[in-house]
Amino acid sequence: MIPCPMPRTILIADDDAHIRQLLVFALAKAGLDTVEAEDGEAALAAVAAGGVDLVVLDINMPRLDGIEVCRRLRAAGELPILFLSSRDDEIDRVLGIELGADDYVTKPFSPREVVARVTAILRRTAARPPAPAGATAPLRHGRLTLDPDGWQAAWDGREVPLTVTEFGILRTLAAMPSKVFSRDAIIDRLHGPGFAITDRTVDSHVRNLRGKFARAGAEDVIETRPGIGYRLGSCGAG
């Protein structure tokens, strides 16, 4: 008998009890467990208690807002984060992605859309095959090394911590280093065809990637092809 996979647990952090109830119901229908937090401090406490696989995080919350919660979570690790925003303001959306959030949804939203985005992020974090027989060979290009099984990136042998989405983008480019990927093609590789994410979201992830590698001494990890998209840079080769 094949054992059933353990259910994933989603933390819903929002000060609006109606929204929390709506998402609890929708995520439960998708087979996901949930815990709730009504403010930023409660959200951090829930994560610290353990067992949370992804955070659905509202930006506007009392005590600590979602921006500060995201900063603290990112300082502690790479727990996936999906932002909820009631502000119809692109700056807030981009700021959330630059802080390390994996995606965002603006209010009002369809619970089905939130579930789709949550499950897409979880799919990217789920499968990490055991090392021996079927292990995937590391991807190397110049001074860049990617370990697909360990979800780790390194520059000159020093690890560069990335979010799940950032790693997915870099792995997409590194798998075909001579190919220029449009933003739509990158989204399709990460989420599957038809998944709605704006071009600015992809650009923000790429900007965040460049910033992390720049701090590691790398200035040529990703190359922009104006009007087309992105491809892997020379990564210090030659």
Side-chain angles (χ1 to χ4, degrees):
M1 184 175 181
I2 300 174
C4 294
M6 292 292 290
R8 314 299 291 277
T9 298
I10 312 303
L11 169 61
I12 304 167
D14 196 303
D15 60 326
D16 187 326
H18 174 69
I19 287 178
R20 294 200 308 272
Q21 292 168 4
L22 198 66
L23 293 179
V24 165
F25 179 75
L27 291 165
K29 285 184 66 177
L32 298 165
D33 291 341
T34 54
V35 291
E36 299 177 51
E38 62 184 12
D39 59 53
E41 290 186 0
L44 291 175
V47 172
V52 172
D53 296 295
L54 181 146
V55 181
V56 176
L57 183 61
D58 183 35
I59 286 182
N60 297 309
M61 290 189 297
R63 301 179 75 182
L64 282 178
D65 65 17
I67 300 293
E68 182 58 27
V69 172
C70 183
R71 284 195 182 99
R72 297 190 187 190
L73 292 178
R74 278 293 161 264
E78 302 301 326
L79 183 66
I81 296 171
L82 171 70
F83 260 134
L84 301 179
S85 175
S86 58
R87 304 178 192 174
D88 191 16
D89 183 330
E90 195 69 19
I91 295 175
D92 276 342
R93 303 178 191 177
V94 172
L95 177 59
I97 299 299
E98 288 177 342
L99 280 170
D102 294 274
D103 203 352
Y104 66 82
V105 175
T106 52
K107 300 177 182 178
F109 54 77
S110 158
R112 183 177 298 179
E113 179 186 8
V114 174
V115 171
R117 291 178 185 270
V118 164
T119 54
I121 295 170
L122 290 175
R123 277 198 303 269
R124 300 199 302 273
T125 62
R128 299 191 182 183
T136 305
L139 298 171
R140 293 186 174 89
H141 188 77
R143 295 153 70 183
L144 173 70
T145 303
L146 298 180
D147 174 9
D149 291 341
W151 290 71
Q152 291 181 319
W155 182 264
D156 272 345
R158 299 188 304 275
E159 184 177 357
V160 179
L162 303 178
T163 67
V164 170
T165 301
E166 291 164 1
F167 186 89
I169 291 172
L170 196 55
R171 180 175 61 180
T172 295
L173 301 181
M176 302 179 70
S178 63
K179 177 179 173 63
V180 179
F181 286 85
S182 68
R183 292 166 179 81
D184 286 343
I186 290 172
I187 292 168
D188 287 351
R189 293 293 181 103
L190 295 180
H191 298 282
F195 201 83
I197 291 181
T198 67
D199 287 352
R200 281 193 72 173
T201 301
V202 176
D203 293 343
S204 295
H205 282 304
V206 169
R207 184 163 56 249
N208 207 29
L209 268 166
R210 284 174 168 155
K212 289 183 176 182
F213 276 93
R215 290 190 288 274
E219 300 291 345
D220 57 351
V221 168
I222 297 177
E223 176 184 332
T224 300
R225 287 300 183 90
I228 306 174
Y230 298 105
R231 77 172 184 181
L232 196 67
S234 63
C235 298

